[in-house]
Amino acid sequence: DARVTQTPRDKVTEMGQEVTMRCQPILGHNTVFWYRQTMMQGLELLAYFRNRAPLDDSGMPKDRFSAEMPDATLATLKIQPSEPRDSAVYFCASGLLTGAAGELFFGEGSRLTVL
Amino acid sequence: EDQVTQSPEALRLQEGESSSLNCSYTVSGLRGLFWYRQDPGKGPEFLFTLYSAGEEKEKERLKATLTKKESFLHITAPKPEDSATYLCAVRYTGFQKLVFGTGTRLLVSP
């Protein structure tokens, strides 16, 4: 049963520390997204990649967030330095998108708490 | 500004009490409207995609419909296991990203 895998599931860290979240997309999917979910804002798009190339990272605070896809089986989201306002659940999603068609499949999320 | 608005924010139903959730959008060039279900502590789970006005999709007790301005998710004779947050998202011309609404929290009591 193919699924998107995210690690860690839960992370508690102190302000100023570096945090790296990892995602293994579904094999064969050509597009990978990073979303952040909070009670106040709901699901917000941070960045996405098509065929490993970054297409849009306008949703990310550029000074502290970075997203990469070093190979087809791994996407990473890094926060350095982390701040309490970064506390949220971070979701990775992948899809086989052709034009406008294609649904996204989400991982279970990484819950980040920054103290 | 492109927006996706869901209503109500929360809905409480008795088991068997049918109702509808609304998703209205103000995007230009809609290329697809998506419904997801999210359970606590889980990622959103795909339910339906609708591409054009008049289209309908069904799955068990759920039926999604689409007009030029909004979509409805009809829940017929809901059961407690239908309790979840239902999210609506749109994809529009020129972009592959999904823009999500804030969801409707549904609670079905036995």
Side-chain angles (χ1 to χ4, degrees):
Chain A
D1 187 24
R3 57 179 179 168
V4 176
T5 304
Q6 290 186 244
T7 57
R9 289 297 313 276
D10 280 282
K11 176 74 174 180
V12 180
T13 191
E14 294 191 348
M15 183 173 62
Q17 296 298 305
E18 178 179 302
V19 176
T20 298
M21 289 167 275
R22 294 177 174 81
C23 167
Q24 181 176 2
I26 293 173
L27 188 66
H29 282 185
N30 60 359
T31 313
V32 175
F33 296 76
W34 283 105
Y35 281 88
R36 174 171 64 184
Q37 188 175 42
T38 61
M39 288 294 293
M40 294 299 295
Q41 300 294 330
L43 274 166
E44 301 174 281
L45 179 68
L46 297 175
Y48 71 104
F49 298 79
R50 182 171 175 87
N51 295 324
R52 295 176 53 203
L55 283 193
D56 184 353
D57 62 0
S58 58
M60 292 200 311
K62 300 289 193 306
D63 56 338
R64 299 185 301 107
F65 284 58
S66 62
E68 295 180 347
M69 200 162 175
D71 62 61
T73 65
L74 178 65
T76 62
L77 180 66
K78 185 178 296 185
I79 308 174
Q80 167 64 10
S82 57
E83 298 182 1
R85 57 179 167 158
D86 301 329
S87 298
V89 182
Y90 291 79
F91 286 103
C92 175
S94 72
L96 180 59
L97 304 187
T98 52
E103 55 265 20
L104 298 189
F105 296 87
F106 283 77
E108 299 277 81
S110 293
R111 179 178 298 276
L112 174 64
T113 303
V114 183
L115 304 175
Chain B
E1 181 183 329
D2 296 326
Q3 276 197 23
V4 181
T5 304
Q6 292 189 246
S7 62
E9 287 187 14
L11 181 62
R12 187 166 191 154
L13 300 174
Q14 289 294 121
E15 183 172 3
E17 179 186 1
S18 301
S19 188
S20 296
L21 314 182
N22 177 263
C23 171
S24 62
Y25 58 92
T26 56
V27 299
S28 51
L30 180 76
R31 298 299 303 276
L33 187 140
F34 300 76
W35 282 99
Y36 283 80
R37 169 191 169 127
Q38 187 175 23
D39 292 298
K42 303 285 188 181
E45 177 186 347
F46 171 75
L47 292 174
F48 303 110
T49 310
L50 302 166
Y51 289 108
S52 56
E55 191 174 357
E56 299 182 352
K57 293 273 180 74
E58 284 190 68
K59 181 179 180 180
E60 296 181 359
R61 295 176 292 282
L62 300 177
K63 179 180 176 180
T65 62
L66 180 65
T67 72
K68 288 186 178 180
K69 295 183 178 180
E70 59 192 348
S71 176
F72 292 94
L73 184 65
H74 308 277
I75 304 177
T76 302
K79 298 182 177 181
E81 53 261 42
D82 295 322
S83 298
T85 295
Y86 291 86
L87 297 164
C88 163
V90 299
R91 180 179 289 146
Y92 49 99
T93 301
F95 298 91
Q96 293 188 315
K97 63 185 179 183
L98 289 184
V99 177
F100 280 86
T102 52
T104 294
R105 295 190 311 279
L106 174 66
L107 178 63
V108 182
S109 303

